[in-house]
Amino acid sequence: MPGPVQSIERAAAILRLLAQGSGRLGLSEIANSLGLARGTAHGILRTLQMVGFVEQDEATGKYQLGAALLHLGTSYLDVNELRSRAINWADALAARSGEAVRIGTHLQGKLLVVHHVFRPDDTLQTLDVGVLLPMHATAMGKVLLAYDANAAAAVPDGDLEPFSRRTIRTAKELTRALSGIREVGWAADVEETTVGEASVAAPIRGYGGLVVGAMGISGPIERLCDPHNRPRPDLVTFVRDAARAVSRDLGAPRW
Amino acid sequence: MAERYVMSIDQGTTSTRCILFDHGGRLVSVTQREHKQHFPRPGWVEHDATEIWRNLEQIGPKALAQAGIGSGEVAAVGIANQRETTVLWDRHTGIPVTRAVVWQDTRTDMLVEELSRRPDAYIVEELCGLHVATYFSAPTIRWLLDHTPGLRERAERGDVLFGTMESWLIWKLTGGPDGGVHVTDVTNASRTLLMNINTLSWDDTLLDFFGVPRAMLPEIRPSAQTYGAATRVMPGVRIAAALGDQQAALFGQTCFAVGEAKCTYGTGSFLLLNTGHEPIRSTHGLLTTVGYQIGDEPAVYALEGSIAITGALVQWFRDGLGLIGTAPEIETMARTVDDNGGCYIVPAFSGLFAPHWRSEARGIIVGLTSYITKGHLARAVLEATGWQTREVVDAMNADSGLNLRTLNVDGGMTANNLLMQFIADVLNVPVVRPMVAETVSLGAAYAAGLAVGYWPDLEGLRRNWHRAAQWLPAMDPALRAREYDSWQRAVERTFDWIKPHEE
């Protein structure tokens, strides 16, 4: 059993300090109060600032508690914000893969489509932003189940709703599939939602590696998969690279 | 095959960005750095041109590093820039003589009024297609020459140079005091009030009118042509295009045919319509401007409708009112209600631009009742952008005699689905977002790639264009008419707020 992590203890002390009194303190005041070297206190404050727990007043340079702390209980990243931050990389993924791109988040046991880029062949397609899809039968949904404990907890016990012959049917089967997804870092749906259709998705992460959504491509099985119905490795790489690029922009650590 | 990418530099009002594109017009890497906005007095807005240059020195190499390539693999670089912003610098030291005066700066309002009252003022619009206004470069140059001791003499001797941001960056990239190339392109020159819109050269009558010495002006060149090779930041790379940002977006949207239009939704919004090889004079408050010129081919003209405040209203909602934490959250808040609840916001923060051109108008919120929530206000904020677009499209249809059939959109606000649907609803035409939302950068890259033969022709560029999203009109026509009427009545209520010389 490892001992307590010193920097987390110190970060907690800084937050407690800022939560008291006037709530606005300078670097020296914070460092002196906690008996820390200025450099140490500054490093911790900068990290807390990066994750939004602390804000620095531009004029005075003083620190105060950040707005993100107040919203800890609610959604971590606004879905419209997510779309806005991901839009360039989603476009690039569609252009590179030649397939339609979607970004999804978890909403009350379903997968909510928050962004959709058309397949770049200029055929007639309809935006399906706002549509709800099943979690256990889509690549994006399975990614969220694999990495988001709350999403996984929202899956009902018992048998899962079948959409095709290949849909995952039991909780046990799902658990096995999710651990496989965590191992490789991406998920696929091969005819699990619709016969003849496949999708590939990877997680989008924010600060600290927290998964905030999933990003993926979907299309006909003969384009997305090899003759053995396995997703084409080049497409998987495109999807993972794009999701990583969005994550990097959102402040996720490299992985 | 070593050369595989084209780089674009987008020198914008708030930041400078470098983007690398591949042959398919796909984004490969992006770097960005914001620069400081200086507000030394009310109405004054300045940038430090040296800071912007230093930012470019950082983000240029970083963009290459991100893509894992060297400058040898860059076929060409193109520049798109904030338009009209005026830089004056010393040709011998390479140091700006003052901070750059940004297009939003209104210090020249008295001078503009004075110039507009001159009996020969009609000649300006006739020769250059624009009316005298504070954001075009000529009054700013004149103001700086008048207010900086000794500057006029230095300018007349050619010791002090004028340029918009693309001129400044090209000059710096090609060596600065050490052999720097002093050029501008037709689109940027068309925003100075000093270029003849028909001959595409500096016009002596206009130079006389504004009192600007010819010796300080850059040479006017086509938008797509090799101006020189960089000696710094990315040594050896050819600098092969420059366009004003809005013209770059028109080019990036591949609006190459007469009647094709795009609207870029940013802080302000700019709708440009390709009108072909003849400049069309507007009778409905639009500007005549150069769209682009490729090498020695004839120039393509455009009609432009500019809306001052669109994204800026969202920023105000965020920073001024503090009702949202980030700009995209406006959509979340707006979706908490089904309609505007009878509330309208007309953001005439510094008057109204096209098609009204009322500098004395100021913003209003009308239709307030106790029923109105912040959700309704958020809707009214977004709808203001939709209705302002509608007003400009109506003016364009009237001037050009063409009926807009599709609106190509780009810019940051295209991530807002609620807004895009609303625009389709109020225009009653499909709104289409192309696969690369970064059309300003893409346009500069396209022009540069075209100039050096990286892309063969316009048709080749068109093939790179793909539809990423489309919003179809779905509003009941009666509701549309009723809402438009309410909007127009709200607009009327902004007029005549500022009395002359009150400010």
Side-chain angles (χ1 to χ4, degrees), chain A residues 52-77:
Chain A
F53 284 9
V54 159
E55 285 167 5
Q56 188 179 18
D57 187 86
E58 258 181 55
T60 63
K62 293 198 175 210
Y63 294 92
Q64 63 191 77
L65 292 184
L69 268 185
L70 305 173
H71 303 299
L72 261 186
T74 58
S75 177
Y76 161 65
L77 184 67

Side-chain angles (χ1 to χ4, degrees), chain B residues 211-251:
Chain B
V212 171
R214 188 181 271 270
M216 70 191 303
L217 299 179
E219 187 189 338
I220 302 177
R221 303 278 285 272
S223 321
Q225 188 183 60
T226 302
Y227 307 130
T231 60
R232 292 191 272 179
V233 183
M234 45 204 108
V237 177
R238 286 171 287 183
I239 304 166
L243 298 118
D245 50 12
Q246 296 310 320
Q247 283 88 343
L250 185 74
F251 205 74

Side-chain angles (χ1 to χ4, degrees), chain A residues 33-120:
Chain A
S33 300
L34 300 175
L36 295 175
R38 275 172 65 94
T40 309
H42 188 237
I44 296 171
L45 280 163
R46 279 191 49 165
T47 307
L48 288 171
Q49 203 179 344
M50 203 177 74
V51 301
F53 284 9
V54 159
E55 285 167 5
Q56 188 179 18
D57 187 86
E58 258 181 55
T60 63
K62 293 198 175 210
Y63 294 92
Q64 63 191 77
L65 292 184
L69 268 185
L70 305 173
H71 303 299
L72 261 186
T74 58
S75 177
Y76 161 65
L77 184 67
D78 183 275
V79 295
N80 293 309
E81 169 93 22
L82 174 60
R83 180 191 314 114
S84 204
R85 305 278 288 269
I87 194 163
N88 280 343
W89 298 113
D91 282 353
L93 174 57
R96 224 159 256 148
S97 66
E99 303 297 342
V101 171
R102 285 178 183 77
I103 291 174
T105 57
H106 169 245
L107 181 74
Q108 295 161 1
K110 296 276 188 187
L111 175 79
L112 171 70
V113 177
V114 300
H115 185 49
H116 175 192
V117 183
F118 290 167
R119 188 173 58 250

